[in-house]
Amino acid sequence: MNKSLKLKIKLPLLKDIELLAVEGLELMGKHLKISEEKISEARILIVEGVINAIEHSENITPYVDVHLMMNIDLLTIIIEDYGKGFDPTIIENPDINKKLKSDYKRGWGLKLLNELSDELKIDSSNKGTRITITKYL
């Protein structure tokens, strides 16, 4: 039997609210006996995705939607905001040497999403952004 769990959360735009989605992920992973290594990687995906949505969307709608779908083999994370959107093709990968010398150490979100996901799809327009992350467990 291959159990499939789903969780949908509407997160208000509050500091540290991404931790609520992470808690849901952890409970689902524990229930399905997913390895701690895979859950740790998925934690980072959720945190980075939600923080990016909150910080960069200039969201006029005061929430971000998070959908988690998990079975023993696969995790799908969908994060949607309703902000201004962006063109992911013009975002530069951070340069570690420049970041180390700079006072501004941030800007790793999309790189982490790309590195830790097995598949990453970004759909963005002036009506918002939807990222779909696939992680094999």
Side-chain angles (χ1 to χ4, degrees):
M1 183 171 87
N2 191 2
K3 292 182 187 178
S4 183
L5 301 175
K6 295 180 182 180
L7 176 65
K8 294 181 181 182
I9 308 172
K10 188 174 292 292
L11 297 174
L13 304 182
L14 301 172
K15 183 178 179 349
D16 296 329
I17 196 67
E18 68 277 4
L19 299 177
L20 184 59
V22 167
E23 186 174 341
L25 166 82
E26 291 169 347
L27 290 170
M28 292 167 71
K30 183 177 180 180
H31 182 77
L32 293 175
K33 297 179 175 52
I34 305 300
S35 77
E36 180 57 35
E37 177 185 357
K38 294 294 185 179
I39 294 300
S40 291
E41 292 172 356
R43 273 187 206 103
I44 296 168
L45 291 167
I46 290 173
V47 167
E48 291 298 330
V50 172
I51 288 173
N52 279 352
I54 290 172
E55 289 185 353
H56 299 296
S57 68
E58 295 181 14
N59 206 338
I60 58 171
T61 305
Y63 57 85
V64 171
D65 288 326
V66 178
H67 306 264
L68 305 177
M69 290 139 295
M70 182 189 289
N71 62 42
I72 60 170
D73 300 313
L74 182 69
L75 169 64
T76 302
I77 304 165
I78 299 172
I79 301 170
E80 292 182 278
D81 69 58
Y82 304 92
K84 65 178 182 172
F86 75 107
D87 181 354
T89 63
I90 64 169
I91 305 298
E92 292 183 28
N93 271 330
D95 180 327
I96 184 92
N97 293 319
K98 287 181 184 176
K99 289 286 186 185
L100 289 173
K101 295 174 185 172
S102 170
D103 289 336
Y104 186 75
K105 307 287 189 226
R106 301 194 55 210
W108 294 94
L110 281 180
K111 181 165 180 60
L112 287 169
L113 291 176
N114 274 308
E115 295 289 326
L116 293 175
S117 64
D118 292 299
E119 295 176 28
L120 177 65
K121 181 179 178 192
I122 301 173
D123 297 304
S124 193
S125 72
N126 63 354
K127 295 182 180 176
T129 299
R130 175 185 176 116
I131 63 169
T132 304
I133 302 163
T134 302
K135 178 82 178 155
Y136 299 112
L137 305 171

